[in-house]
Amino acid sequence: MGRKLRRSSRLVDMTQHLLEHPYKLIPLTLFAEQFGSAKSSISEDLSIIKELFEYKGSGLLKTVAGAAGGVKYIPLLKRELAETVVQEICVALEKSERLLPGGYLYMSDILGNPETLNKIGKIMATVFAEREIDVVMTVETKGIPLAYATANYLNTPVVIVRRDSKVTEGSVVSINYVSGSSKRIQTMSLARRVMPEKSKVLIIDDFMKAGGTARGMIDLLKEFNAKVVGLGVLAEAADVEERLIDDYVSLAKIAHLDARNREIKVNPGNFLSQMCH
Amino acid sequence: MGRKLRRSSRLVDMTQHLLEHPYKLIPLTLFAEQFGSAKSSISEDLSIIKELFEYKGSGLLKTVAGAAGGVKYIPLLKRELAETVVQEICVALEKSERLLPGGYLYMSDILGNPETLNKIGKIMATVFAEREIDVVMTVETKGIPLAYATANYLNTPVVIVRRDSKVTEGSVVSINYVSGSSKRIQTMSLARRVMPEKSKVLIIDDFMKAGGTARGMIDLLKEFNAKVVGLGVLAEAADVEERLIDDYVSLAKIAHLDARNREIKVNPGNFLSQMCH
């Protein structure tokens, strides 16, 4: 660009650049050269941005010193804001018209709204901020937007497991798994080349009942020598006799679902206990 | 918030707020009250942001005067940047290891990378910036991340058409359609409640061959009295005898695909002629 920008313009540009490149180490020289400014001015700019992000609870700027150093934006949603978002989702989920056969709730409107998805994705990114994550994985279909929103804040690729084996993506690994609630045998597949061996994987899904699908994804990952570093769901069902998964994070928990009287009670899930920020 | 912020902090906060709420009319009083600043100072802040966004080619700030007025951020990617992004995608698509049976190309890595997806989504949002859009629609599975990225910049909901009729989302409209290339009869479904009647719909998909799937989506939309205001695909196949769709925008066009000699030639699609910005 080359044109020398004033501090005010630099701040706008740097804010945009940082927000668009989370978890990426940006050398201060990149900004300095682009703006024709001294590194000391850039450092002052960054401390203004850092202070504002912390004041608003919208993320951290981490500075890494030294020649290979730079600045990294870590998107975070502070506790109170996360609680408010989840509270709103719980209220929205309690509407009786959401009741679907089989103890499921209609959530496509929530999962189709970009602003809501971004907030949920940012909460997931906050919960799993301390884990080392190479890839976010989900299974088609409803979990995809949420996985993408989460990966957007973590700046990692998304990998989508397919529910059939007729996948035209080269060689494919398929497994059979037993759906925890319906006890039916189902298939899921992942193309070999979509995920490098030994990847560290965060699994994201929209809903967890008995956990059969999550269990299937974990088994599938063994075929890739991958490591599951976390499992996050938007909502979990409460009336589960035997859950196949213990270690997971949920934002909301359906505490009570009475299909006959059309009553739903939804509480916040266990995510708050998992937030270190 | 109430705390009085200096211009530099205001600029960081307003930049973030605008980027996170595209196409939303934000009253200047919202900023003025939040920062304890005069509206005239807010106006000056906004003109700094506006100038920088235009200089960088990353969007417009539209100001609406009057009591019900405010400011609106329109995300745009300027022509040269869009061309560069598409050029890079074309080069990436030309790698022979992408060849899949049936004249398809492996694109899951591109469609799984958030930074790339965001750029593609921003180009789509730029191409369709002048259309009135209520909803972005796609069909599962591979088009979903791209539809979501586009909707993120247009700030509209995403609606996902399912490829089977066993959808548990209440009453569902299903249609049969003929896949343009394989000539097989297939089914797609959309739950009644996911889309209001008479919605203005932008269809986004990853790939178009003969256009049978797109044709199916358009037919399905008739059942919702919806209006298709645009159709955008990441890539289109070139060797198509009879295309079922005329009016569409593609970012890339597979000009030549020789499966035997493993040669692929990919050119930019028709998107440049559709960009008014």
Side-chain angles (χ1 to χ4, degrees):
Chain A
M1 292 279 152
R3 196 179 89 166
K4 195 168 159 78
L5 293 179
R6 289 175 25 209
R7 160 148 298 154
S8 50
S9 301
R10 288 200 310 260
L11 284 170
V12 176
D13 195 33
M14 288 166 76
T15 300
Q16 180 171 19
H17 191 93
L18 289 163
L19 291 174
E20 286 178 353
H21 301 87
Y23 281 95
K24 202 162 193 170
L25 189 68
I26 303 161
L28 299 203
T29 45
L30 182 103
F31 290 126
E33 281 166 19
Q34 196 178 345
F35 301 135
S37 308
K39 265 172 91 173
S40 57
S41 310
I42 300 296
S43 289
E44 285 169 40
D45 296 344
L46 287 170
S47 54
I48 293 168
I49 298 173
K50 183 183 163 81
E51 202 196 313
L52 193 276
F53 280 2
E54 284 172 15
Y55 170 59
K56 297 287 274 194
S58 64
L60 284 179
L61 284 198
K62 277 196 181 167
T63 315
V64 179
V71 62
K72 199 191 274 187
Y73 164 58
I74 314 288
L76 298 172
L77 198 64
K78 71 174 168 189
R79 223 182 161 80
E80 306 92 273
L81 296 176
E83 275 189 86
T84 307
V85 170
V86 170
Q87 204 52 258
E88 285 168 8
I89 291 170
C90 290
V91 170
L93 286 176
E94 285 181 344
K95 288 182 185 154
S96 63
E97 60 265 33
R98 293 192 178 274
L99 269 175
L100 295 172
Y104 290 93
L105 288 186
Y106 178 78
M107 304 202 295
S108 298
D109 55 336
I110 293 170
L111 293 168
N113 179 311
E115 290 204 9
T116 309
L117 270 175
N118 286 339
K119 286 178 194 163
I120 301 173
K122 204 170 187 189
I123 297 175
M124 290 291 184
T126 306
V127 169
F128 297 107
E130 303 293 320
R131 322 258 174 121
E132 212 182 301
I133 298 166
D134 299 320
V135 160
V136 171
M137 186 169 106
T138 191
V139 63
E140 61 184 350
T141 297
K142 290 185 204 164
I144 300 174
L146 184 52
Y148 174 67
T150 305
N152 214 359
Y153 287 107
L154 294 170
N155 210 351
T156 65
V158 179
V159 155
I160 301 171
V161 176
R162 309 292 297 264
R163 285 198 193 269
D164 62 61
S165 49
K166 293 166 290 174
V167 178
T168 55
E169 293 179 79
S171 92
V172 162
V173 180
S174 294
I175 61 154
N176 292 324
Y177 69 102
V178 179
S179 150
S181 33
S182 74
K183 306 282 184 207
R184 277 186 309 169
I185 289 186
Q186 309 197 289
T187 303
M188 57 168 76
S189 313
L190 188 60
R192 264 279 170 235
R193 65 166 120 178
V194 302
M195 196 163 57
E197 289 267 311
K198 298 188 183 169
S199 295
K200 298 185 191 72
V201 181
L202 171 63
I203 297 177
I204 294 286
D205 210 351
D206 58 324
F207 197 78
M208 184 161 74
K209 220 171 162 183
T213 307
R215 189 76 258 160
M217 283 194 267
I218 293 169
D219 289 343
L220 181 58
L221 282 170
K222 285 182 192 147
E223 299 296 320
F224 290 80
N225 289 315
K227 192 183 165 198
V228 181
V229 295
L231 168 59
V233 296
L234 172 56
E236 60 168 315
D239 56 338
V240 173
E241 284 172 32
E242 194 192 355
R243 204 179 294 277
L244 303 166
I245 300 283
D246 295 319
D247 188 12
Y248 63 91
V249 173
S250 67
L251 301 200
K253 182 167 186 163
I254 298 166
H256 174 72
L257 196 152
D258 178 348
R260 193 162 174 171
N261 297 307
R262 302 186 67 74
E263 281 172 5
I264 312 168
K265 179 68 197 151
V266 183
N267 294 328
N270 64 4
F271 74 104
L272 277 177
S273 64
Q274 315 276 333
M275 282 176 95
C276 356
H277 295 280
Chain B
M1 291 280 153
R3 198 180 87 167
K4 197 169 160 77
L5 293 179
R6 288 172 29 205
R7 161 149 295 155
S8 50
S9 301
R10 288 200 310 260
L11 284 169
V12 176
D13 195 32
M14 288 165 78
T15 301
Q16 180 171 19
H17 192 91
L18 289 162
L19 292 173
E20 286 178 354
H21 300 87
Y23 281 95
K24 202 162 196 172
L25 188 68
I26 302 161
L28 298 203
T29 45
L30 183 102
F31 290 127
E33 282 167 18
Q34 197 177 345
F35 301 136
S37 307
K39 265 171 90 171
S40 57
S41 310
I42 300 296
S43 289
E44 286 170 39
D45 296 344
L46 287 171
S47 54
I48 293 169
I49 299 174
K50 182 184 165 81
E51 202 198 312
L52 192 275
F53 280 3
E54 284 172 15
Y55 170 60
K56 296 287 274 194
S58 65
L60 285 178
L61 284 197
K62 278 196 180 167
T63 315
V64 179
V71 62
K72 201 193 274 188
Y73 165 59
I74 314 287
L76 298 171
L77 199 65
K78 72 174 169 190
R79 223 182 162 79
E80 307 92 273
L81 296 177
E83 275 189 88
T84 309
V85 170
V86 169
Q87 205 53 258
E88 286 168 8
I89 291 171
C90 289
V91 170
L93 286 177
E94 284 180 345
K95 289 184 185 152
S96 65
E97 61 264 32
R98 292 190 180 277
L99 270 175
L100 295 173
Y104 291 91
L105 288 185
Y106 178 79
M107 304 201 295
S108 299
D109 55 336
I110 293 171
L111 293 168
N113 180 311
E115 289 204 10
T116 310
L117 269 177
N118 286 338
K119 287 178 193 162
I120 301 172
K122 204 172 186 187
I123 297 174
M124 290 291 184
T126 306
V127 169
F128 297 107
E130 304 292 320
R131 322 259 175 120
E132 210 181 299
I133 297 165
D134 298 322
V135 159
V136 171
M137 187 168 106
T138 192
V139 63
E140 60 184 353
T141 295
K142 290 184 203 163
I144 300 175
L146 184 51
Y148 174 67
T150 305
N152 215 359
Y153 286 107
L154 295 170
N155 210 352
T156 65
V158 180
V159 155
I160 302 170
V161 176
R162 308 292 296 264
R163 284 198 194 268
D164 62 60
S165 50
K166 291 167 290 172
V167 177
T168 56
E169 292 181 79
S171 92
V172 162
V173 180
S174 293
I175 61 155
N176 291 323
Y177 69 102
V178 179
S179 150
S181 35
S182 73
K183 307 279 185 209
R184 275 185 310 167
I185 290 185
Q186 308 197 287
T187 304
M188 57 169 75
S189 316
L190 188 60
R192 264 280 169 232
R193 65 167 121 179
V194 301
M195 196 163 57
E197 289 268 311
K198 300 187 181 170
S199 294
K200 300 186 190 71
V201 180
L202 171 64
I203 297 176
I204 294 286
D205 210 352
D206 58 324
F207 197 78
M208 183 160 75
K209 220 170 165 185
T213 306
R215 189 75 260 162
M217 280 195 269
I218 292 168
D219 289 343
L220 181 59
L221 282 171
K222 285 181 192 148
E223 299 294 321
F224 289 80
N225 290 314
K227 193 183 164 197
V228 181
V229 296
L231 168 59
V233 297
L234 172 57
E236 59 169 315
D239 56 336
V240 172
E241 285 172 31
E242 193 194 356
R243 205 179 292 278
L244 303 166
I245 300 281
D246 296 318
D247 188 13
Y248 63 90
V249 174
S250 66
L251 301 200
K253 183 168 185 160
I254 298 165
H256 175 72
L257 196 151
D258 179 347
R260 195 162 172 169
N261 297 307
R262 303 187 67 74
E263 281 171 5
I264 312 168
K265 179 70 196 146
V266 183
N267 294 329
N270 65 2
F271 75 103
L272 276 178
S273 64
Q274 313 275 335
M275 279 177 97
C276 356
H277 295 280

